[in-house]
Amino acid sequence: MFHIIMSADENYIKYSAVLITSIIKNTNLSKKFKDFCDQEDFRPLKDNNTLDSYSYLKFDSLNKEQQEEGYIFHILSNFISPKTEEKLRLLEKELNNIYPCKILIHIFKDELFKDFPKSGAAYSNYLSYYRLKINSVLDDNIKNCLYLDSDMLCFFDVRELFAIDLKDKIVASVNDPGSKKRKIKFKEKDKKITFYFDKNYFNAGFLLINFEKYKKEKVEEKAHELAKKCFYIKAADQDLLNFVLKNQILRLDFAYNFNIITYVYAICKDENSNRLNFTREEFNQSFKNPKILHYGEKPWKYLKSHINADGKNINDYWWDMASITPIFNKELLEEKKHIKEYLYVAALGFMALKFCNNYKFFKIASLVKSKNDEKYLECIKEIKDEEFGLCCVLGESIFYARRSNKGSFSVILKLLKIIFHYKKYGYRSRII
């Protein structure tokens, strides 16, 4: 059986249902798990020091439970109502008509995480830390498990991942596209220590976990101990896991956790050593054929965002899957009718782009302080499809500045940086 873990509160369950459905729908029924095992070793491009080589499992060496077909989806949550539990039961029943699966619910209390700092994804609740409690929900005979963030969509048969032999590595993960100039600060025996992450800093939204090794190395206990000592941390559980798992990860292709911000631009390691740790050639391969999309601009908030290599709005893929997600599709499609806030975000971003391109920086202040965004909506029709995602990102920066009471100067600097990188790097994957 293939164990897949995700975290979701009551409101996020319907989005998790879309991810679950995408996994089932992309399972190739003409193949068995055995077909993914016993393959030739994966070898990266010659002279590549970004991706790791790996072998595939020998099917006959696995026990009966590990050979068995079927997914077990583990949903970690702080509360799920009886009504939603019943919906999940019905979803499981419907999806079983396609491929064997179970959906299990595990409820945790936030009190378990009172020692953990609130930051990043954990700024409002502790849900993102729940992945650090998988020891308590998985049986000891499980070999590997897969953690996925709920804001993802699958485009391939994930059994491909479960066939990877992790050997002595604790996890297989994918490099994070953000800056590698990250750090955490903690106290050790009354001494303040600053730890700087390196180029292998990974995104924790995707983790293929060697569960046997994970338990043996006491990853959860070490993360908890570090959390209690931290006084500066920005990315919550992601920072904790990067510290605890350093030098014990198998580095996978970016396609397995394709962060959609890179549709705006990606800065690759042969262009800047402190950003995405893939060459431009490697990134372009993932750009053409992503296996899992990791949404920043959530489709349930943005009906339109970035376009892919085929010129298609990537949020349409999510809504196509939502429309065929059993039990939850009617609720989701009704919700879709009322989504319009993103239009204001894109419109503000477009005006910011226009002002910056024309060197009218003083007008950015009017966008930050505006009390009437309605007047900018008319410009939506002027936004080119290939720049719509960029406008969303720029608009988000303005809305963030409003919420955080940021000054106009800092906003202008941020907008100029995004636009500069977009113009310098954004086209480099679209000329292939």
Side-chain angles (χ1 to χ4, degrees):
M1 301 291 282
F2 316 112
H3 294 262
I4 300 175
I5 303 157
M6 51 192 72
S7 302
D9 62 14
E10 174 80 2
N11 295 323
Y12 247 64
I13 290 295
K14 53 184 175 286
Y15 312 133
S16 301
V18 178
L19 171 58
I20 290 171
T21 301
S22 74
I23 292 170
I24 296 289
K25 291 285 187 179
N26 282 283
T27 299
N28 188 342
L29 301 180
S30 68
K31 288 187 175 183
K32 299 294 184 184
F33 182 48
K34 184 175 174 42
D35 299 321
F36 293 92
C37 301
D38 304 323
Q39 299 183 62
E40 291 185 8
D41 292 356
F42 169 81
R43 300 290 181 192
L45 297 173
K46 189 177 180 180
D47 299 326
N48 181 299
N49 64 350
T50 300
L51 301 176
D52 291 319
S53 301
Y54 54 82
S55 304
Y56 290 93
L57 296 170
K58 303 302 180 185
F59 185 79
D60 291 338
S61 70
L62 304 176
N63 63 37
K64 185 177 179 182
E65 198 274 345
Q66 293 163 356
Q67 291 181 345
E68 188 178 353
E69 296 282 344
Y71 298 112
I72 299 181
F73 297 101
H74 300 266
I75 298 179
L76 315 180
S77 186
N78 52 3
F79 170 80
I80 297 179
S81 68
K83 182 179 178 181
T84 301
E85 281 194 39
E86 177 61 15
K87 286 183 177 180
L88 288 172
R89 187 188 69 79
L90 294 172
L91 175 68
E92 176 190 293
K93 184 178 178 180
E94 289 289 328
L95 294 179
N96 258 295
N97 292 326
I98 303 173
Y99 183 80
C101 68
K102 295 180 182 177
I103 299 176
L104 304 180
I105 299 168
H106 309 277
I107 302 297
F108 292 96
K109 293 184 178 180
D110 278 353
E111 285 77 11
L112 286 171
F113 306 92
K114 61 183 180 181
D115 295 326
F116 289 71
K118 280 196 172 184
S119 69
Y123 73 96
S124 60
N125 59 51
Y126 293 105
L127 203 62
S128 66
Y129 287 122
Y130 285 16
R131 77 191 75 184
L132 297 176
K133 293 296 180 183
I134 64 172
N135 278 355
S136 62
V137 304
L138 299 181
D139 294 334
D140 290 337
N141 65 337
I142 293 171
K143 187 174 184 65
N144 294 343
C145 61
L146 176 65
Y147 177 88
L148 297 175
D149 275 352
S150 291
D151 56 353
M152 289 177 157
L153 194 68
C154 181
F155 292 85
F156 79 118
D157 193 326
V158 298
R159 291 178 296 175
E160 173 185 315
L161 291 167
F162 286 93
I164 295 174
D165 188 351
L166 293 174
K167 296 187 183 299
D168 62 340
K169 301 297 185 182
I170 299 179
V171 300
S173 60
V174 176
N175 199 248
D176 190 85
S179 170
K180 298 302 182 291
K181 296 179 180 179
R182 296 172 181 262
K183 62 187 176 184
I184 56 171
K185 297 179 182 180
F186 58 94
K187 286 186 178 181
E188 189 77 73
K189 297 180 180 178
D190 295 325
K191 183 180 179 182
K192 292 183 178 180
I193 298 174
T194 300
F195 177 84
Y196 294 90
F197 295 108
D198 63 17
K199 63 184 180 180
N200 291 313
Y201 185 89
F202 60 83
N203 183 283
F206 168 103
L207 296 170
L208 179 63
I209 302 170
N210 179 345
F211 191 53
E212 296 171 336
K213 184 82 171 175
Y214 180 89
K215 291 180 296 179
K216 183 179 178 181
E217 296 296 326
K218 301 185 183 299
V219 171
E220 293 183 4
E221 292 88 340
K222 291 176 181 177
H224 194 167
E225 283 303 308
L226 177 61
K228 289 191 290 186
K229 300 173 185 176
C230 279
F231 62 91
Y232 176 89
I233 185 169
K234 294 199 74 174
D237 55 302
Q238 183 167 287
D239 281 353
L240 296 178
L241 286 168
N242 268 276
F243 180 89
V244 172
L245 298 173
K246 56 185 181 292
N247 304 320
Q248 300 182 84
I249 61 172
L250 182 75
R251 298 171 297 178
L252 294 180
D253 195 296
F254 193 65
Y256 288 113
N257 183 3
F258 194 94
N259 193 311
I260 69 167
I261 188 63
T262 58
Y263 279 119
V264 177
Y265 65 83
I267 306 175
C268 299
K269 74 173 191 175
D270 43 1
E271 298 156 346
N272 186 318
S273 60
N274 288 315
R275 298 303 289 259
L276 188 62
N277 195 29
F278 295 98
T279 64
R280 174 60 60 179
E281 180 183 5
E282 292 163 346
F283 173 77
N284 286 352
Q285 290 178 345
S286 299
F287 183 89
K288 289 186 289 184
N289 296 295
K291 296 187 176 187
I292 295 177
L293 285 184
H294 194 169
Y295 285 91
E297 284 69 43
K298 316 302 183 195
W300 50 92
K301 292 184 178 180
Y302 291 77
L303 294 186
K304 184 177 181 179
S305 63
H306 313 283
I307 59 170
N308 64 6
D310 297 322
K312 183 170 180 178
N313 168 30
I314 60 168
N315 290 29
D316 284 344
Y317 290 112
W318 193 91
W319 281 107
D320 289 345
M321 190 60 64
S323 69
I324 59 172
T325 296
I327 313 305
F328 291 91
N329 55 347
K330 290 183 179 179
E331 176 185 351
L332 287 164
L333 293 175
E334 181 60 31
E335 182 178 308
K336 184 181 181 182
K337 297 176 184 177
H338 306 286
I339 299 172
K340 62 178 183 179
E341 183 68 27
Y342 76 102
L343 294 173
Y344 294 96
V345 177
L348 282 175
F350 177 76
M351 295 305 299
L353 178 62
K354 197 173 182 180
F355 291 153
C356 288
N357 284 340
N358 293 316
Y359 305 102
K360 296 180 179 179
F361 306 125
F362 63 94
K363 288 195 173 184
I364 299 295
S366 66
L367 297 179
V368 176
K369 297 175 182 178
S370 175
K371 301 295 184 182
N372 180 22
D373 295 336
E374 198 83 28
K375 62 184 178 182
Y376 299 117
L377 285 181
E378 290 185 4
C379 72
I380 285 292
K381 58 183 179 291
E382 298 180 47
I383 305 177
K384 299 175 183 177
D385 287 344
E386 60 268 26
E387 290 185 343
F388 199 93
L390 169 66
C391 291
C392 289
V393 172
L394 297 174
E396 287 163 7
S397 298
I398 293 171
F399 272 90
Y400 175 77
R402 289 177 179 179
R403 292 193 302 269
S404 307
N405 293 317
K406 296 283 186 180
S408 298
F409 183 70
S410 65
V411 180
I412 292 169
L413 291 179
K414 184 173 183 179
L415 296 176
L416 288 173
K417 183 178 180 181
I418 294 170
I419 294 168
F420 171 79
H421 286 149
Y422 170 77
K423 290 180 177 180
K424 184 174 182 179
Y425 301 104
Y427 72 94
R428 297 188 182 187
S429 297
R430 300 190 183 274
I431 57 175
I432 51 180

